[in-house]
Amino acid sequence: MKRITLFVSLFLLLSNLLAQKPGLELPLEKGYEYLLTVGYGGVVCPQMNGGIDQYHLGNNYYALDFGRPPNCAEPKILAAAAGTVIVSRNDPNGYGEFIIIDHGNGYTTIYAHFKTRFKQVNNYVQQGEVLGVMGTTGISTGPHLHFALKKGESSVLPEPMSGYTNFTPGHYYKAGDYYVPPVPQDIKDKIDNFFYAHGLSLIHISEPTRPY
């Protein structure tokens, strides 16, 4: 009975941890640096004369816009995390050509202003899989990716993403080789405490390092 109770408790703990937001990769073709043109709260980068983008307020407060790199005419847009495509269509008066992916547990990611979409509704995509080509369809002033992680209807902080935190408009972000974000320390502590409370031990494997 004690073993069954222990198993159930461990199962519930792991289920709770897995219900957290998905680990994210930059949804951009690797090998290039991308200027963050609009950051949290709609703050526009200084290179574009600053100000506030009204389309990044309310439920889109944590949305990010990445501009096209100067040395790549048509960069590919990638899935930030694995999931199922639930929307793939054109919205000429808003997002233009856009895709929404369901990652489970109420989390979705949205990718907008494609030139070309490669995925359709019900397609399952792996993290890093190509979704389409960056463009400037819909309400847009130039080629870019509008990206947001959402929980229900509201955007949430998409960090860490490829190891990056504190996304700042005007800064460049490089999409490098595949990188697994480290397990947050608070989650490690919860697992350690669970095993310690039941007289068990857990061997940690060292975290991967960033490739760039």
Side-chain angles (χ1 to χ4, degrees):
M1 178 62 71
K2 184 177 181 180
R3 288 186 177 181
I4 294 176
T5 302
L6 177 61
F7 175 80
V8 172
S9 298
L10 179 58
F11 175 78
L12 292 174
L13 172 65
L14 294 177
S15 296
N16 179 62
L17 296 177
L18 291 173
Q20 299 185 40
K21 66 184 180 183
L24 301 175
E25 286 287 307
L26 280 172
L28 303 161
E29 183 174 353
K30 296 173 178 29
Y32 302 100
E33 290 188 342
Y34 299 81
L35 175 67
L36 186 65
T37 57
V38 183
Y40 303 140
V43 177
V44 179
C45 70
Q47 294 91 321
M48 299 177 66
N49 300 319
I52 299 294
D53 185 332
Q54 298 299 315
Y55 292 102
H56 283 243
L57 300 179
N59 286 342
N60 286 315
Y61 185 90
Y62 287 109
L64 299 171
D65 280 4
F66 293 94
R68 182 181 65 187
N71 55 342
C72 184
E74 295 186 342
K76 305 295 190 301
I77 303 303
L78 316 179
T84 301
V85 176
I86 57 173
V87 175
S88 180
R89 65 181 181 87
N90 182 39
D91 173 19
N93 298 313
Y95 288 138
E97 302 287 349
F98 76 106
I99 286 174
I100 298 177
I101 298 175
D102 182 3
H103 305 288
N105 300 311
Y107 287 99
T108 59
T109 48
I110 182 167
Y111 313 75
H113 308 297
F114 285 96
K115 175 181 179 180
T116 307
R117 290 175 287 115
F118 296 158
K119 300 299 180 181
Q120 303 302 322
V121 172
N122 293 327
N123 286 167
Y124 182 83
V125 294
Q126 298 290 347
Q127 184 176 57
E129 190 167 341
V130 176
L131 303 177
V133 176
M134 182 182 289
T136 183
T137 55
I139 298 178
S140 172
T141 58
H144 73 285
L145 168 69
H146 174 93
F147 172 82
L149 171 68
K150 290 195 171 185
K151 175 73 169 178
E153 295 297 320
S154 298
S155 61
V156 293
L157 195 67
E159 298 180 3
M161 185 158 57
S162 289
Y164 289 113
T165 58
N166 192 31
F167 283 93
T168 305
H171 289 203
Y172 284 86
Y173 296 89
K174 181 180 180 181
D177 296 332
Y178 181 76
Y179 166 69
V180 179
V183 177
Q185 188 60 48
D186 62 328
I187 294 181
K188 282 185 178 181
D189 291 342
K190 289 178 182 178
I191 295 176
D192 283 341
N193 291 338
F194 176 87
F195 276 82
Y196 179 79
H198 292 86
L200 303 172
S201 62
L202 183 64
I203 299 175
H204 288 298
I205 299 174
S206 59
E207 299 290 356
T209 56
R210 290 189 60 171
Y212 55 87

